[in-house]
Amino acid sequence: MHFPPGMTAVAVLSGIVAAGATALLIVVARRAGRTCGQTAVLVAAAAVFALFALLVGVTVALGGEGLRQGQRTGWATPVAIATAASTLAFGAGLLRLPGAVVTRAATARLVLDGLIMGTALWFVGWVLFSEPTRLLAGMAPVACPQILLTTVSVAFTAGLTLIVLVRAAGPRRRLAWLGTGITAVTCGGLGIAAGLCQAMPGLVLGGAVLIAAGLATAALAVHRAVPPGQIDVDLIRRDGAYAFVPMLAMAASAMYHLIQGGRFDALGIVAGSIEGFALVTRQYLALHDVRRYAVRLAEREAHFRELAHTDPLTGLANRRGLLRALQRSTGAGDPCVLLGLDLDGFKNVNDMRGHDVGDEVLAEVGRRLGDNLRPGDLAARLGGDEFAVLVSGRPAEAGRVAERLLGVLGRPYEQPGGPVFISVSIGVAGQPDEPDTELLLRHADLALRYAKQRGKNRIEHYDVAYDQLLRRRNMLEHEMRGAIERDELRLVFQPVASLPSVRPVGAEALLRWRHPELGNVRPDEFIPLAEECGMIAKLGAWVLHQACYQLSRWLADGHDVWVSVNVSPRELHAPEYVVQVAEALRAHHVPPQRLVLEVTEHAVATDLDELVRRLTALRRTGVRIALDDFGAGYSSLGQLRRLPIDILKIDHSLVAEHEPVRPVDTDGPAFAPMVDIVMRLGHQLGLEVIAEGVTTPAELAAVVAAGCRFGQGALFGWGVPAEHLEAMLEAATSVGARPAPVATPPAPVSAPPGGHLCAPPTPTASARPRRLPSMPAQRSNEGASAQLGSGGGGGSEGALPTSVNHNVGSVDSSREMRQA
């Protein structure tokens, strides 16, 4: 057996190419990282074995012309062994690809799948090349152990490569090139072994070429991308779906073999047995994996179910967990009480200390709740700073638990930046007569809201009246949004009287709401609700325009009068409010000094600097500013000096003193000392003073004795419709000719010692309308100015009225009117 010259060159070239590819694979293996290093090393080792088989086969073919058949067969043995070793190394390299070694079971499944596919390929080949088929007829190789070993190697390599390609994640192109190269190398080993056994130099040369080409292909695939691919172990979509193909191939080939009259020898029986055992083992592993997967799935389902009912920050139950516990309790008929808890002032913790500190505080709240509950009780975090506790037992036991939690949660929370001080409000609700989970939650929430409204840091038990209050509140909020459009609102006017003549010289506009179904709704009920739901600006604009409209009509009719309108803090701090006031004055042609805007002392308790800026801007429009309810406790003397105001309205609580003080060593009338102090303070600051809430002749005498020139209250008239106040103005000026309209809202005065500011107006400069100073510091301290109205005629200073007009009833504005 020898090669012609041309075939010798091809053989030598094949050896050179195979050696170069092997060297390249060795270099790649040395450079490969930890992830794919084992794959590269095993592929390089397989290349070394394949190169050895090529060199042995080519050397024997070139120099073995005088070798006997037995000697050639002997040299075929190392070639077959090297091919088998190369097959094992290639297979191990494929099994070391990323994704194939996730678990031992996954690797075993790949090996079994490759064995099943390879056995089917070998069996089909055995049927085709053995008696009686003999596909190659006379060229079919005779049976020898070396050929058997190499055919098994080729079948296993092809089967495993095919399985890896099927199980690989995309893209598969480089992995397909690697698989093609590996299969070509093993096929080349089979060709060399068969050529040596059959003394066929052409077959040896073909095997050498295949080995060289396969090694070059594998080297390029690994060199370009290490690793060349990744195996996707997916039990659900791909695993085992191709097992039917090899079984069908074996069944079809066996039937064909029997039909052709063939017989199954030991090799066929062994191949069939291997296929059967491999399939059974494969299915056993698959079943075992499915069972383990089902167990893990059940464990994870239980874990996630528990997570779905647990708050991750505090470790307490969440809303879903609380609902589950409530449903179990109501289903079993066990008595239970639900506590709703809300942390007071927690938003300030997040704003001032940061959300990290807030989370630490919430976690500590969860720990304190867990440490102070009885066995069987359940604490839950419903969201944010809202918690709930489900207490098993009677309401009395739940009350003791609530008292304990009120003290425990109110303790300081130590944090790195300093302790955090918060309190907690608790609402308690017992199980209703008919077990209802949603109703119990609603009752606890209502009780909690009531506790927050009543001052926080307290415990409130649910009462059925809360439902009625909530329904009415919701109805009022809904109906209020269309009250203006339905013409349900109206203004009434409470007169401001000149003292001691009690002649009306001004009026305070009060908002009233009469609903067709609810009837008269009190201002102290719907005004706070309007502030909460954002309706106060709309109501305030309506009141401002209606008051200016009515004032313009009175002025056009010749009445010497002014009107005051209340302004809420939220409306006052709106940037557009100054523009609204100016537009209302311009639209209704009202002199600015005839309009007084009343600001409550509550507004002073907010941002004083911002309030000063807003009031200064309003005074630039020409309107007067009055500080309402002075003496209610919000204003200090320092703040009073800074505020750009013109009028002080003394709160009714200062006017209604129980024991008026009589002057020492004099026979003068008793006077209210607090009113006297406020009068003197106001005059020193250049302010006019109006006494509110004057309801009795004794109170009237006291404020007059203190030097107060203007009063307001039930003694002078209730809040009446505009036409009624107009009738009062007509009656006050019916005697004698009506004077020229020169009165303005109260101007700052200085009280002369020992006298009352009730003299008729004189045509002096101080009686004319006064321009407002642009800054509070420019507040003027003028002398005695003209009183509001047409003069003090019609009664002497000592003559007090014995009766006033009470024909039209409403309520005292000093207590209930806060419409804007």
Side-chain angles (χ1 to χ4, degrees):
M1 183 177 66
H2 65 280
F3 287 156
M7 297 179 64
T8 301
V10 172
V12 173
L13 181 61
S14 298
I16 295 173
V17 172
T22 303
L24 179 60
L25 286 172
I26 293 173
V27 172
V28 171
R30 294 184 62 181
R31 293 186 309 178
R34 178 180 299 180
T35 303
C36 53
Q38 293 182 350
T39 299
V41 168
L42 290 171
V43 171
V48 172
F49 288 119
L51 179 62
F52 173 78
L54 183 149
L55 294 177
V56 170
V58 170
T59 302
V60 171
L62 289 175
E65 183 178 357
L67 295 178
R68 296 187 301 274
Q69 179 64 31
Q71 292 175 330
R72 290 194 302 271
T73 304
W75 282 109
T77 301
V79 173
I81 294 174
T83 302
S86 177
T87 299
L88 294 177
F90 276 132
L94 292 176
L95 295 177
R96 287 293 175 177
L97 287 173
V101 290
V102 177
T103 61
R104 294 181 179 179
T107 306
R109 285 197 304 272
L110 285 175
V111 173
L112 288 172
D113 289 340
L115 182 61
I116 292 171
M117 191 68 68
T119 303
L121 291 175
W122 188 92
F123 185 82
V124 171
W126 175 80
V127 168
L128 294 177
F129 293 102
S130 63
E131 292 289 349
T133 306
R134 294 185 65 82
L135 186 63
L136 297 179
M139 297 181 60
V142 296
C144 68
Q146 294 82 357
I147 295 178
L148 179 62
L149 181 59
T150 52
T151 54
V152 170
S153 300
V154 170
F156 178 74
T157 301
L160 184 60
T161 301
L162 183 60
I163 291 299
V164 169
L165 286 175
V166 172
R167 298 289 296 274
R172 303 186 180 94
R173 186 179 63 178
R174 297 200 177 277
L175 191 58
W177 281 109
L178 176 62
T180 302
I182 292 173
T183 305
V185 169
T186 54
C187 289
L190 172 61
I192 291 176
L196 292 177
C197 290
Q198 303 294 322
M200 299 175 63
L203 193 56
V204 173
L205 181 61
V209 172
L210 279 178
I211 290 177
L215 289 178
T217 303
L220 291 177
V222 175
H223 174 68
R224 294 288 182 86
V226 180
Q230 181 172 351
I231 299 177
D232 183 14
V233 178
D234 191 344
L235 297 176
I236 305 301
R237 292 181 300 162
R238 301 179 180 178
D239 194 57
Y242 39 78
F244 294 99
V245 176
M247 288 298 299
L248 289 175
M250 289 187 67
S253 60
M255 292 296 296
Y256 175 77
H257 185 68
L258 291 175
I259 291 173
Q260 294 295 325
R263 299 176 59 185
F264 288 101
D265 56 10
L267 293 177
I269 295 174
V270 169
S273 300
I274 292 175
E275 184 77 6
F277 280 111
L279 283 174
V280 171
T281 305
R282 178 64 177 81
Q283 295 306 316
Y284 172 78
L285 290 178
L287 180 60
H288 183 264
D289 286 340
V290 169
R291 286 176 178 173
R292 289 200 308 169
Y293 183 78
V295 171
R296 289 199 308 270
L297 184 62
E299 292 175 351
R300 291 182 180 179
E301 182 181 0
H303 175 67
F304 286 120
R305 186 183 294 112
E306 191 62 27
L307 288 180
H309 294 84
T310 304
D311 177 62
L313 178 61
T314 62
L316 304 177
N318 58 10
R319 183 179 294 273
R320 188 179 289 109
L322 178 64
L323 290 175
R324 181 178 63 177
L326 281 173
Q327 291 171 356
R328 290 176 179 175
S329 179
T330 55
D334 298 331
C336 63
V337 179
L338 185 61
L339 310 181
L341 298 88
D342 189 86
L343 303 180
D344 304 325
F346 181 75
K347 184 177 183 299
N348 294 331
V349 178
N350 281 334
D351 294 342
M352 303 302 297
R353 304 287 292 273
H355 288 274
D356 292 339
V357 174
D359 290 344
E360 290 294 332
V361 171
L362 291 176
E364 177 62 22
V365 169
R367 287 189 289 269
R368 294 185 186 184
L369 285 175
D371 294 339
N372 289 274
L373 294 182
R374 307 170 306 166
D377 297 343
L378 176 70
R381 181 187 176 214
L382 304 183
D385 60 342
E386 187 176 355
F387 295 82
V389 176
L390 181 62
V391 180
S392 57
R394 300 297 175 183
E397 301 173 358
R400 290 191 290 270
V401 173
E403 291 287 351
R404 183 168 65 252
L405 293 179
L406 188 68
V408 168
L409 298 181
R411 297 173 185 169
Y413 295 81
E414 298 296 335
Q415 296 297 322
V420 174
F421 298 93
I422 57 176
S423 59
V424 64
S425 300
I426 302 178
V428 182
Q431 188 69 264
D433 297 334
E434 294 294 332
D436 190 333
T437 300
E438 295 296 332
L439 190 59
L440 180 60
L441 285 169
R442 182 172 176 272
H443 288 176
D445 185 61
L446 284 176
L448 176 59
R449 291 175 60 183
Y450 194 61
K452 302 282 283 188
Q453 292 176 1
R454 296 195 64 184
K456 304 178 181 179
N457 192 25
R458 60 187 296 122
I459 301 172
E460 289 293 338
H461 294 262
Y462 169 76
D463 191 281
V464 68
Y466 300 165
D467 274 335
Q468 300 172 357
L469 292 175
L470 182 61
R471 292 193 190 97
R472 180 173 176 83
R473 179 185 179 87
N474 292 336
M475 181 179 294
L476 288 177
E477 181 178 348
H478 180 268
E479 294 297 322
M480 188 190 307
R481 299 188 180 278
I484 296 177
E485 290 75 10
R486 295 191 301 268
D487 198 22
E488 296 173 0
L489 301 179
R490 62 189 179 94
L491 288 185
V492 297
F493 299 87
Q494 187 175 35
V496 177
S498 173
L499 302 181
S501 64
V502 298
R503 297 181 61 183
V505 293
E508 181 178 357
L510 308 176
L511 181 61
R512 296 294 182 265
W513 180 16
R514 181 175 179 81
H515 192 271
E517 297 179 1
L518 301 175
N520 290 323
V521 184
R522 297 188 309 171
D524 60 351
E525 184 179 12
F526 73 83
I527 292 301
L529 182 60
E531 292 180 345
E532 293 182 15
C533 68
M535 282 286 296
I536 192 64
K538 184 177 180 181
L539 293 182
W542 185 86
V543 169
L544 179 63
H545 279 274
Q546 291 295 318
C548 289
Y549 168 74
Q550 187 58 54
L551 179 58
S552 67
R553 292 190 58 182
W554 285 335
L555 294 177
D557 292 340
H559 295 294
D560 188 14
V561 68
W562 51 272
V563 172
S564 64
V565 175
N566 288 269
V567 184
S568 70
R570 181 174 299 182
E571 191 176 7
L572 183 63
H573 287 280
E576 65 274 8
Y577 186 68
V578 177
V579 178
Q580 292 179 3
V581 172
E583 290 180 352
L585 293 172
R586 183 170 55 254
H588 300 287
H589 306 286
V590 172
Q593 65 270 19
R594 296 283 182 166
L595 179 65
V596 177
L597 300 180
E598 296 191 13
V599 181
T600 63
E601 270 200 308
H602 177 69
V604 182
T606 55
D607 189 348
L608 182 61
D609 294 334
E610 179 66 18
L611 179 64
V612 170
R613 287 192 292 269
R614 297 295 180 185
L615 293 182
T616 301
L618 284 172
R619 293 184 81 214
R620 289 197 185 104
T621 65
V623 300
R624 303 297 178 94
I625 306 297
L627 182 61
D628 198 9
D629 296 338
F630 181 75
Y634 290 104
S635 299
S636 67
L637 296 181
Q639 292 173 339
L640 195 60
R641 292 180 61 88
R642 293 186 57 192
L643 290 174
I645 60 176
D646 304 280
I647 305 166
L648 279 183
K649 301 190 72 173
I650 307 176
D651 188 73
H652 67 92
S653 61
L654 301 183
V655 175
E657 291 185 309
H658 298 294
E659 297 182 0
V661 178
R662 293 187 177 277
V664 180
D665 299 332
T666 63
D667 296 331
F671 65 95
M674 294 303 298
V675 176
D676 184 71
I677 292 173
V678 174
M679 283 295 304
R680 295 178 184 273
L681 175 64
H683 291 162
Q684 290 294 327
L685 295 176
L687 304 175
E688 186 56 87
V689 182
I690 301 176
E692 288 188 294
V694 180
T695 58
T696 64
E699 294 174 357
L700 175 59
V703 298
V704 169
C708 188
R709 301 192 324 122
F710 303 100
Q712 182 179 352
L715 188 64
F716 313 119
W718 302 98
V720 297
E723 56 270 19
H724 289 201
L725 182 64
E726 186 172 359
M728 295 172 64
L729 296 173
E730 292 285 354
T733 58
S734 60
V735 179
R738 179 178 299 166
V742 295
T744 65
V749 296
S750 296
H756 301 308
L757 303 179
C758 55
T762 57
T764 62
S766 61
R768 294 190 297 272
R770 180 172 57 89
R771 290 180 60 84
L772 290 173
S774 60
M775 296 296 291
Q778 298 173 355
R779 182 185 298 153
S780 61
N781 257 334
E782 300 178 358
S785 62
Q787 65 169 298
L788 295 176
S790 305
S796 62
E797 295 181 12
L800 299 179
T802 58
S803 64
V804 291
N805 187 356
H806 295 279
N807 294 332
V808 181
S810 183
V811 289
D812 189 1
S813 65
S814 62
R815 291 184 178 274
E816 69 171 5
M817 203 301 300
R818 296 292 176 267
Q819 84 276 10

